[in-house]
Amino acid sequence: MTADTQKALFFFLPEIKITSLEPLGDGNVNDTWLIVSVPGEKYVLQRLNPFVFPDPGLVQDNLCTVTYHLQARLNQIDADFTVLKVIDNGNGAHSYIAHDGACWRMLSYIDDTQSLNTVSTADQAREIGRTLGLFHQLTSSLPPSSLADPLPGFHNTPLYLKQYDALLPTAQECAADCRDFIDERRHDVSLLEDLQKQETVRQQVIHGDPKVANFLFSRDLKRVISLIDLDTVKPGLLLHDIGDCLRSCCNPSGEDVREPGDVVFDQDLFAAMLSGYFNNASDLLTVTDKQLLVDSVRLISFELGLRFYSDHLAGNRYFKVKSPKQNLFRARVQFALVRSIESKYTELMEICGAVHNKFV
């Protein structure tokens, strides 16, 4: 246990004896631990990555605003959903700032749950879609102006492409396959941003990172209990959330594959996830949203691959890695997913139409 960890624990739990502190999860950005106290109570301690979140105060303010709003809405309706709680130090402070400027925080631990990195059944995909739809319904009444933007430019694909182009002249190592893949698809990266300016796609408070691992399932894997990791909540496009969720949900091989070529976008999981989502939130989507569901997952997969590859060129500063070329491998996995989506584009569009007709 580091000195900063000890100080953060004392800041939040000064009178409580800790019996165990273990790493929790395998997130690519923040450091997370599970804390167990002598009475048996469990907490989550996190250190926010200062490089990713230069203004952690905005992240914490957003987190408090959204969790309070979600709980207030849930008190008004009958929904099986648990909202994590932000723990303060007893005097109203929700953050501990260490000597290196990093922000530490403590959250409630939602017990009797487990997270998955990949989806293996249509029922799991449907449940994930249902929960994301519920989350969007609950946040639809939260004014976007009540939240700050903790990551300006997040999910702005043209901006990521611009940053990538700026890296190329000084990059010491360039992978020709990734370079060519990006060049062949740079022509329509601004599709969603252009439609956002025209206000033909739905904008509201979104999660920002609804990957499979952020949905907590019950122990029997039949129900999603909660949606966690709310650091990226912000005003944005529903298509960004839906596309990112589909990207993660419909890749049953996940990122830990032997070869990127093994990655396949699963159309059955696609249909199930959309069915679950439409069951709860079809009324939130505009006509244009429904037309762009396939393009949204294609673009968000391309965007993440672009971000992984750019971080590889920049020296792995954003995403945590276990080896120097892990982000390069991650990029190739996402690009393989894009290829799979492109090869099934017509079929996926037909699935979208069938799901939409079911809920008209």
Side-chain angles (χ1 to χ4, degrees):
M1 184 187 304
T2 68
D4 282 342
T5 306
Q6 290 178 323
K7 291 178 181 178
L9 280 173
F10 184 78
F11 179 81
F12 290 108
L13 304 174
E15 306 297 331
I16 297 179
K17 184 177 180 181
I18 304 302
T19 59
S20 68
L21 182 152
E22 301 290 340
L24 180 65
D26 54 359
N28 292 334
V29 176
N30 297 325
D31 298 314
T32 308
W33 295 268
L34 173 62
I35 310 298
V36 181
S37 68
V38 169
E41 295 177 337
K42 297 179 180 179
Y43 305 89
V44 175
L45 180 68
Q46 282 190 319
R47 176 187 182 273
L48 299 186
N49 187 327
F51 179 77
V52 176
F53 299 108
D55 193 342
L58 296 182
V59 177
Q60 287 296 86
D61 289 345
N62 282 357
L63 179 62
C64 291
T65 298
V66 170
T67 53
Y68 294 161
H69 175 84
L70 289 173
Q71 191 58 62
R73 286 293 310 276
L74 287 169
N75 291 340
Q76 301 169 354
I77 64 175
D78 182 19
D80 186 12
F81 186 81
T82 300
V83 182
L84 61 83
K85 295 180 176 61
V86 185
I87 309 298
D88 65 34
N89 69 339
N91 294 315
H94 297 99
S95 304
Y96 168 72
I97 307 301
H99 74 285
D100 62 354
C103 175
W104 293 70
R105 69 177 176 206
M106 186 162 284
L107 308 170
S108 62
Y109 178 73
I110 303 175
D111 215 343
D112 294 322
T113 62
Q114 59 180 313
S115 62
L116 303 174
N117 287 322
T118 58
V119 169
S120 58
T121 69
D123 286 341
Q124 291 171 357
R126 190 174 297 106
E127 185 66 6
I128 283 175
R130 180 196 67 81
T131 304
L132 184 62
L134 173 62
F135 180 86
H136 285 161
Q137 284 287 8
L138 295 174
T139 57
S140 65
S141 58
L142 179 62
S145 59
S146 64
L147 298 183
D149 189 346
L151 293 171
F154 190 60
H155 283 325
N156 185 323
T157 314
L159 179 60
Y160 289 125
L161 184 61
K162 183 178 180 180
Q163 293 170 346
Y164 159 76
D165 287 338
L167 280 170
L168 283 181
T170 58
Q172 295 183 354
E173 179 183 0
C174 182
D177 60 319
C178 290
R179 179 199 62 208
D180 294 344
F181 184 91
I182 293 167
D183 287 343
E184 290 166 2
R185 289 160 180 82
R186 62 170 60 235
H187 62 280
D188 71 342
V189 296
S190 63
L191 174 63
L192 296 184
E193 284 68 29
D194 291 342
L195 292 171
Q196 183 174 9
K197 294 174 184 176
Q198 299 171 20
E199 299 184 352
T200 57
V201 287
R202 171 85 180 197
Q203 303 180 59
Q204 65 163 68
V205 172
I206 64 171
H207 181 278
D209 187 24
K211 60 187 178 184
V212 169
N214 286 333
F215 291 84
L216 293 185
F217 277 83
S218 57
R219 289 295 183 186
D220 60 9
L221 298 180
K222 292 183 178 180
R223 296 179 298 113
V224 171
I225 303 299
S226 186
L227 178 55
I228 59 171
D229 197 1
L230 304 178
D231 296 337
T232 49
V233 290
K234 57 175 286 183
L237 300 183
L238 285 188
L239 283 175
H240 282 149
D241 259 8
I242 299 171
D244 201 19
C245 189
L246 287 167
R247 173 200 64 78
S248 177
C249 186
C250 303
N251 174 13
S253 299
E255 295 180 7
D256 295 325
V257 293
R258 181 167 295 181
E259 294 293 337
D262 296 337
V263 174
V264 174
F265 189 84
D266 191 302
Q267 61 266 35
D268 293 331
L269 297 179
F270 177 78
M273 186 279 181
L274 282 184
S275 179
Y277 184 87
F278 270 58
N279 189 53
N280 263 349
S282 62
D283 60 305
L284 295 179
L285 300 177
T286 69
V287 172
T288 305
D289 286 327
K290 294 171 182 177
Q291 294 171 342
L292 292 176
L293 290 167
V294 180
D295 285 298
S296 70
V297 64
R298 175 180 62 85
L299 284 169
I300 211 76
S301 301
F302 173 81
E303 176 188 291
L304 184 57
L306 177 65
R307 292 175 62 201
F308 280 141
Y309 183 51
S310 297
D311 200 33
H312 168 71
L313 295 178
N316 304 313
R317 300 179 62 196
Y318 189 101
F319 299 105
K320 291 190 292 185
V321 296
K322 297 178 181 178
S323 63
K325 293 190 176 182
Q326 185 174 5
N327 276 326
L328 175 60
F329 183 83
R330 288 167 170 164
R332 286 172 170 153
V333 167
Q334 294 304 314
F335 291 158
L337 195 63
V338 174
R339 289 192 185 94
S340 183
I341 294 167
E342 292 172 343
S343 71
K344 300 179 178 183
Y345 189 88
T346 300
E347 183 181 358
L348 295 175
M349 288 295 292
E350 291 173 352
I351 290 173
C352 286
V355 173
H356 171 257
N357 291 337
K358 180 180 177 181
F359 291 95
V360 171

